[in-house]
Amino acid sequence: MIEERWGTHPGDVKHYDTAQLRKEFLVEKVFEPDAVLMTYTHNDRLIIGGALPVKEAIKLETVPLIRSEYFCERRELGIICIENEGVVSVDGTDYALAYKDAVYVGRGSKEVIFKSKDASKPAKFYFASSPAHKAYPTAPITEEMRRTRNLGSQATSNERILNQIILSEIVPCCQLQMGLTELQIGSVWNTMPPHTHSRRMEAYFYFKVPAEQSVCHFMGEPQETRHLFMLNEQAVISPSWSIHSAAGTSNYTFIWAMCGENLAYDDMDTFTADKLK
């Protein structure tokens, strides 16, 4: 199952009401038992989605929207395990994944299958996919390969651990970049100071948001910001012209996925909080 979202102009978005803003940018449902759910955005043609194998293994099938014989015929794919333990099988090779483990799937891979190790504790797999101009080898990204940065501070309520997982410096890839950021207890702000990167779009997937809590995601041009209240295991599309930041009523974790023409992670235009409107 796949949803389609169109690209948007910042001049139009400033006129959206809450319902329209949520319709265009919020992905409210990412997981469904024994199914693969996907959202296709025309912003750099990124696909984000979730797989939740409970009673049986699930194959990642192609969809009519991308007009391909198989899903990765012209695409690369990044998969991160966000809960429990599972296995991703790519063309017959099994990759065991625990929490925060990942696998990069290269263009031309014909069969991708998601499995849980224990049906009573099903694995949840979040993934992102972008068009790929070249085939790079499929490869697992283990704990030893992840790059971590300690960012922010307790004083500014944004102490967090940035885990870079899929970058060209870690595994050869075309344009996809993915990582996972963990807010520490007592910290609620992510991506401060906020920024834009005109050469890449991004999507955020928020999870580990406690029951009855929420995350308020901020988007829009720096001088025309808007907000979306989000719940656990929901995602948001961030066009290249938009900031992407949030404050939660508790600490939380999120996965970021980027694609575009520039692989330089630090290529961004930053705006300090006092410059926002």
Side-chain angles (χ1 to χ4, degrees):
M1 177 177 165
I2 190 165
E3 288 186 46
E4 184 176 16
R5 304 291 179 90
W6 297 96
T8 50
H9 190 282
D12 296 330
V13 173
K14 68 176 64 178
H15 300 295
Y16 288 179
D17 62 10
T18 299
Q20 185 71 16
L21 200 69
R22 295 175 72 85
K23 179 182 177 182
E24 299 294 338
F25 299 103
L26 180 63
V27 181
E28 294 192 78
K29 189 175 183 180
V30 176
F31 293 105
E32 182 176 293
D34 294 314
V36 176
L37 302 185
M38 292 182 273
T39 299
Y40 177 106
T41 171
H42 286 269
N43 290 282
D44 286 313
R45 304 192 182 277
L46 180 74
I47 293 176
I48 57 173
L52 176 54
V54 180
K55 297 179 181 179
E56 57 188 20
I58 311 171
K59 183 178 178 180
L60 178 61
E61 303 281 5
T62 190
V63 289
L65 187 60
I66 63 175
R67 299 292 197 278
S68 64
E69 183 181 345
Y70 48 92
F71 187 85
C72 287
E73 182 179 6
R74 299 184 301 273
R75 286 183 160 269
E76 58 186 350
L77 172 69
I79 304 166
I80 300 176
C81 181
I82 70 159
E83 190 173 299
N84 297 322
E85 297 182 5
V87 173
V88 174
S89 178
V90 182
D91 290 341
T93 300
D94 288 346
Y95 300 92
L97 303 184
Y99 176 57
K100 288 197 286 189
D101 288 340
V103 60
Y104 169 81
V105 182
R107 171 180 170 155
S109 301
K110 292 186 176 181
E111 185 178 69
V112 178
I113 299 174
F114 302 97
K115 311 171 189 176
S116 291
K117 284 194 173 182
D118 183 348
S120 66
K121 298 177 181 178
K124 287 184 178 179
F125 302 99
Y126 178 78
F127 62 85
S129 171
S130 60
H133 61 275
K134 182 178 179 180
Y136 285 108
T138 294
I141 299 94
T142 59
E143 180 179 1
E144 297 75 22
M145 297 170 68
R146 292 196 300 264
R147 294 183 178 183
T148 61
R149 293 185 185 181
N150 293 306
L151 301 175
S153 70
Q154 192 175 55
T156 49
S157 303
N158 64 355
E159 186 177 10
R160 60 200 190 274
I161 299 173
L162 171 71
N163 298 272
Q164 296 174 328
I165 297 176
I166 295 178
L167 292 181
S168 58
E169 297 92 341
I170 297 174
V171 289
C173 54
C174 292
Q175 60 166 318
L176 184 66
Q177 300 181 73
M178 295 180 73
L180 183 150
T181 300
E182 303 164 282
L183 274 288
Q184 301 300 288
I185 293 175
S187 287
V188 296
W189 281 100
N190 78 59
T191 320
M192 292 299 289
H195 59 260
T196 59
H197 26 69
S198 298
R199 290 145 296 280
R200 300 189 302 272
M201 64 80 59
E202 192 161 8
Y204 275 11
F205 167 69
Y206 291 100
F207 67 111
K208 292 190 178 295
V209 181
E212 300 185 358
Q213 305 301 315
S214 66
V215 173
C216 185
H217 180 87
F218 295 93
M219 61 165 295
E221 293 178 291
Q223 303 301 303
E224 284 280 352
T225 58
R226 300 291 185 269
H227 69 271
L228 295 165
F229 276 97
M230 299 177 59
L231 303 179
N232 187 44
E233 296 184 355
Q234 293 185 338
V236 61
I237 297 164
S238 181
S240 59
W241 50 263
S242 175
I243 65 165
H244 31 283
S245 182
T249 56
S250 170
N251 63 314
Y252 51 89
T253 300
F254 67 97
I255 290 174
W256 42 270
M258 294 188 285
C259 66
E261 66 172 346
N262 193 338
L263 287 172
Y265 176 83
D266 291 315
D267 177 20
M268 58 186 74
D269 298 309
T270 299
F271 306 89
T272 55
D274 60 311
K275 299 297 191 298
L276 300 174
K277 291 183 180 178

